[in-house]
Amino acid sequence: MTKLSLIAVAVLPLAAQAFAPIAPVVSNKPAFCSQSTPLFAEDEKAADAVFVAPDDSETDVDAAFAKAESLGRGAAKVKRGKRKGGAVQSKNVAKPAASLTPEETFFEGPPAITETIVPTISILTVIGIIPAAAAWARQAWVRYKITSRRVRVTSGFAGNDMAEIVYPDIVEIRTVKRLFGDGDMVAFLRDGAKFEMRNIPNFEETMEFILKQVDKDVAAQYKQQGDVTRP
């Protein structure tokens, strides 16, 4: 018993010390969290102080795209853009407005009345009735219109037929003078057709007007050999 009592006495202080509450450990060193705050602050300052190089990838892409455009169809667009955006602008040159000369009518009316003189006299004979009727029918239904651009002939029954030519189509002119100052004209066209006008009133003045409208070569040729009645 003596040994057991001695062991119990020796163990009791140790057991009391083992089950005693643990006292907080006081340390002179700062806590970990207090040390972490300045560490991250220094990292942020360091990040601000670090030099960041500019990203040249976008610049390189734009330069390559512009170079590709200059080699293809885009070159014209770039040049046009430079012209439009340039400081120097071309002066607008005022162009004269194209004026269209109005058409001038020189003569409009029936053939010369002189064509009815001989047929009317021939009515005294039976044979002259038909020519006289034809001459007066021409006076009623045939109309000539001579302008600065064209020559038009309206004929046929009740004036239902119409033929028209323009001066550039005429390649040759031949005429025959009649009594009382009228005459006949035949115009040869580029397509080989013929255009005839008979008993033109005021023949000399009318031909002078027509020769001013046709080509110079046609007018010169007519003055040399176009008048058949000229010796």
Side-chain angles (χ1 to χ4, degrees):
M1 293 296 294
T2 306
K3 292 181 180 181
L4 293 173
S5 60
L6 291 173
I7 293 170
V9 172
V11 171
L12 286 173
L14 296 172
Q17 185 177 0
F19 289 99
I22 299 174
V25 178
V26 179
S27 176
N28 294 330
K29 295 182 179 181
F32 176 76
C33 61
S34 63
Q35 293 179 355
S36 62
T37 302
L39 178 60
F40 287 111
E42 291 178 0
D43 292 341
E44 291 178 357
K45 293 180 181 180
D48 295 339
V50 174
F51 173 76
V52 179
D55 189 4
D56 296 337
S57 60
E58 295 182 358
T59 305
D60 296 340
V61 172
D62 294 340
F65 185 72
K67 185 175 181 180
E69 280 190 344
S70 64
L71 297 176
R73 296 180 179 178
K77 296 181 179 179
V78 173
K79 293 180 180 178
R80 287 198 296 269
K82 290 182 179 179
R83 294 194 189 102
K84 292 180 180 179
V88 180
Q89 296 181 355
S90 60
K91 296 181 180 179
N92 295 327
V93 180
K95 296 182 179 180
S99 59
L100 186 62
T101 306
E103 186 174 8
E104 177 187 355
T105 301
F106 176 78
F107 172 77
E108 184 175 5
I113 192 66
T114 55
E115 70 172 344
T116 62
I117 296 175
V118 175
T120 301
I121 297 173
S122 64
I123 292 177
L124 299 175
T125 64
V126 178
I127 299 174
I129 296 175
I130 296 176
W136 285 105
R138 278 175 47 83
Q139 288 291 313
W141 294 335
V142 176
R143 291 292 181 272
Y144 295 154
K145 185 176 182 180
I146 302 172
T147 70
S148 58
R149 297 182 185 175
R150 70 200 76 205
V151 178
R152 179 183 298 173
V153 176
T154 303
S155 60
F157 181 77
N160 292 326
D161 297 335
M162 192 268 290
E164 183 179 283
I165 61 171
V166 291
Y167 296 111
D169 290 340
I170 300 175
V171 295
E172 185 180 355
I173 297 176
R174 293 181 184 178
T175 60
V176 176
K177 291 182 181 180
R178 291 178 177 267
L179 299 175
F180 309 108
D182 56 343
D184 300 342
M185 181 189 75
V186 179
F188 296 86
L189 307 181
R190 295 184 185 277
D191 58 355
K194 296 179 181 180
F195 187 82
E196 298 182 2
M197 296 179 67
R198 295 181 180 179
N199 296 99
I200 301 173
N202 300 324
F203 183 73
E204 293 290 342
E205 297 177 1
T206 302
M207 288 306 303
E208 184 179 354
F209 178 82
I210 291 176
L211 292 177
K212 290 180 180 179
Q213 313 305 323
V214 299
D215 295 339
K216 294 181 179 179
D217 297 338
V218 176
Q221 183 181 5
Y222 171 77
K223 291 178 180 180
Q224 291 179 0
Q225 55 185 10
D227 190 356
V228 178
T229 58
R230 181 181 302 174

